[in-house]
Amino acid sequence: MTEPFVTRGFVGRRDQEDSGGISGDERGRRTPPGQYLTNDFPVLSAGPTPRTPLDRWAFRIEGLVSHPLEWSWSEFLALPAREWVVDISCVTKWTHLDMRWKGVSLDTLFENVELEPSAAFVIAWSDGGYTTNLPLADVLNNQAFVAFEYDGRPLAPEHGGPARLVVPARYFWKSAKWVRGLRIQDRDEPGFWESLGYHNRGDQWLEERYSGD
Amino acid sequence: MDERIAEMRDDPAVDLTVDGNAIGGMLATMFGVDVTGSPGQCAHCHTVSVVGTMRVYMRGPGVVVRCPACAQVVMRIVKTPTGTYLDVSGASFVRIAR
Amino acid sequence: MAALGAAAPSTAGPATRAIDWQLATVTATRDETPTVRSFTLGLPGWTGHRAGQHLDLRLTAADGYSVERSYSIASEPERAGEVDITVERIEGGEVSPFLHEVVVPGDRLEVRGPIGGYFVWGASLGGPLLLVAGGSGVVPLMAMARHRARAGMTIPTRLLFSSRGFDEIIYREELERLAAAGDGFEVIHTLTRQQPAGWTGYGRRIDESMLAEVLEPLGASTRAYACGPTALVEVAANALVRLGLPPDRIRTERFGPTGT
Ligand SMILES: Cc1cc2nc3c(=O)[nH]c(=O)nc-3n(C[C@H](O)[C@H](O)[C@H](O)COP(=O)(O)OP(=O)(O)OC[C@H]3O[C@@H](n4cnc5c(N)ncnc54)[C@H](O)[C@@H]3O)c2cc1C
Ligand SMILES: [Zn+2]
């Protein structure tokens, strides 16, 4: 093997200046390995932005539950929601601290259905065909929510609006944009990126980017 | 014209799409030749289109190539530090010239 | 994939295959506008390209992190052993600000190419030719215009070129010279943000009626190439289809998020 070529002076993206008054030390502590800090909200895209009219939108929980359940948009907005301020890390290497969302905890959604004893995995599915998988244990106890507002405004379509899943403790591809439902299963089923080289769990603090690497 | 295409063109994130041409180099490294001028067939709607005209989304964890006619996934490519994953299950064929 | 490793170099000479990364040496830079700079890349192993093709450029940090971007080739195929690329500085971008701020003559850059068997033009494809450019989207179209002039072609050709302001017109003087040659090459400018006093060209974004006017003298057998920010290419390609050009005579090159 020849020595890999290094481009003179190139270091890659650097942390953006802080705009939120967080100390340098704390910023460092809150940045997972291999990530840089940004104040932007880059759009990640794997396909066209779906346009489901709100009167045809519904959120569904199905699979290993006693009765599948579906909320219309107005029913969904009537569920108890709260504000969430969380740090988000994307596998494309940006981390954005203190992102402010409004949404419904998955715990609240699960209160309305009876999970079968064998329920162990959640498959989130979206308009446009995207899927991602999570162990049930990773989304319970306020570890995940369905967001419909970001930074005080309705969630923009390019960021997953009208509603997206948010799982702050995992790389952002697990936070399915345009989420329309959760399928509860007893077995795991790798989603859109997990089935093509990305890590099945995707914990940013363990730098679980790729499978088998 | 197909509703999906109208949707694609009306997309608030439209700026993030490029043509198949843009991944010509990456595909050439995988296939050994430039395939951007070659035809490929969408396994969903069976439209045959030149690879260079397919819709490419590369601002994300990987590269997603979609059919210009029906917007379904034709190819997916993920590069990891140790290899490249290629999914062509959305294509009936891609012609690789000799 | 079975295809891996199946490729053998087509010639035994020193030429480097388009699929291999090769080292280019920056031999010159030139400012085209306040935010656009051209770089001449010396490439001893270059196999030659066709007008409209691009190359991939790879930057690698000492820790192994690397990033790739595509840049169209601005120079005509007749120039051997070197190519020009022309790069617009995109605020907040990872690669284009680096090229503008750090790269100087003598530096080496890794490139792969030429790439692209679709967005290309040459004498065999003929004309008449309509070139539609937004900002740095003019780059591959410039390679076509330079090729056309160098090869002494007289195929009727019109370039509709959208820039933000007069000082932001890339290749302005060279385009004036090409248009003054009287060999059937015309440039029609539109300035979307600021027009100088007495400006007689268009002063709005490219739209269907503008394309209709520019296309009209060229006729229905025109071949069109549209290149630039994705949003502009969408508008141009859709309008040209509505104006009756067969879709297979319209070729597009979307640059992605290059700002507006
Ligand atoms: C085939 C081809 C040929 C090209 N030829 C040329 C050429 O000749 N000249 C030229 O100047 N350019 C050309 N481009 C564009 C070029 O490849 C780069 O895209 C451009 O230089 C910007 O790269 P960057 O790394 O500087 O910016 P990037 O880091 O890619 O960012 C670009 C801009 O988009 C924003 N952005 C990035 N990612 C996202 C996201 N996920 N969501 C929202 N915003 C985002 C950034 O903030 C920034 O403003 C070509 C592109 C293609 C595909
Ligand atoms: Zn299709």
Side-chain angles (χ1 to χ4, degrees), chain A residues 45-46 48-49 51 192 198 213, chain B residues 10-12 59 61 66 76 82:
Chain A
S45 73
T49 307
R51 296 289 184 88
F192 189 85
Y198 276 95
D213 283 340
Chain B
D10 212 17
D11 195 328
R59 301 271 165 173
R66 290 180 181 264
R76 297 186 298 155
T82 55

Side-chain angles (χ1 to χ4, degrees), chain A residues 13 43-51 90-92 128 157-158 173 191-193 195-198 210-213, chain B residues 4 7-8 10-13 16 57 59-64 66 71 73 76-82 85-87:
Chain A
R13 285 205 194 269
V43 176
L44 297 175
S45 73
T49 307
R51 296 289 184 88
C90 179
V91 75
T92 60
E158 61 270 35
W173 86 76
F192 189 85
W193 291 121
S195 62
L196 203 72
Y198 276 95
Y210 306 104
S211 68
D213 283 340
Chain B
R4 297 293 297 262
E7 267 176 33
M8 276 196 277
D10 212 17
D11 195 328
L16 300 180
Y57 297 80
R59 301 271 165 173
V63 175
V64 180
R66 290 180 181 264
V73 177
R76 297 186 298 155
I77 305 159
V78 168
K79 290 213 272 181
T80 79
T82 55
Y85 289 77
L86 174 64
D87 167 22

Side-chain angles (χ1 to χ4, degrees), chain C residues 31-110:
Chain C
D31 286 337
E32 306 285 358
T33 77
T35 55
V36 175
R37 182 174 296 167
S38 291
F39 299 82
T40 300
L41 307 179
L43 282 157
W46 193 244
T47 51
H49 63 273
R50 292 197 283 159
Q53 287 188 303
H54 66 272
L55 51 77
D56 288 345
L57 191 144
R58 176 166 73 182
L59 306 180
T60 307
D63 66 0
Y65 171 75
S66 76
V67 53
E68 296 168 19
R69 293 287 185 270
S70 298
Y71 292 99
S72 301
I73 298 162
S75 46
E76 66 277 22
E78 286 78 4
R79 253 169 74 190
E82 62 177 27
V83 300
D84 283 353
I85 60 170
T86 299
V87 179
E88 179 183 1
R89 188 199 149 102
I90 304 292
E91 228 39 69
E94 184 166 18
V95 172
S96 60
F98 172 84
L99 295 174
H100 275 247
E101 285 162 21
V102 180
V103 172
V104 293
D107 276 337
R108 292 181 309 159
L109 294 169
E110 268 186 305

Side-chain angles (χ1 to χ4, degrees), chain B residues 32-77:
Chain B
V33 288
D34 192 332
V35 295
T36 54
S38 304
Q41 185 176 41
C42 170
H44 310 276
C45 75
H46 310 297
T47 301
V48 175
S49 43
V50 176
V51 171
T53 69
M54 291 182 181
R55 288 308 189 96
V56 173
Y57 297 80
M58 49 197 306
R59 301 271 165 173
V63 175
V64 180
V65 182
R66 290 180 181 264
C67 169
C70 76
Q72 293 288 334
V73 177
V74 176
M75 279 184 252
R76 297 186 298 155
I77 305 159

Side-chain angles (χ1 to χ4, degrees), chain A residues 45-65:
Chain A
S45 73
T49 307
R51 296 289 184 88
T52 304
L54 289 179
D55 58 13
R56 273 196 269 149
W57 186 94
F59 191 87
R60 200 178 154 79
I61 299 188
E62 62 197 6
L64 296 175
V65 290

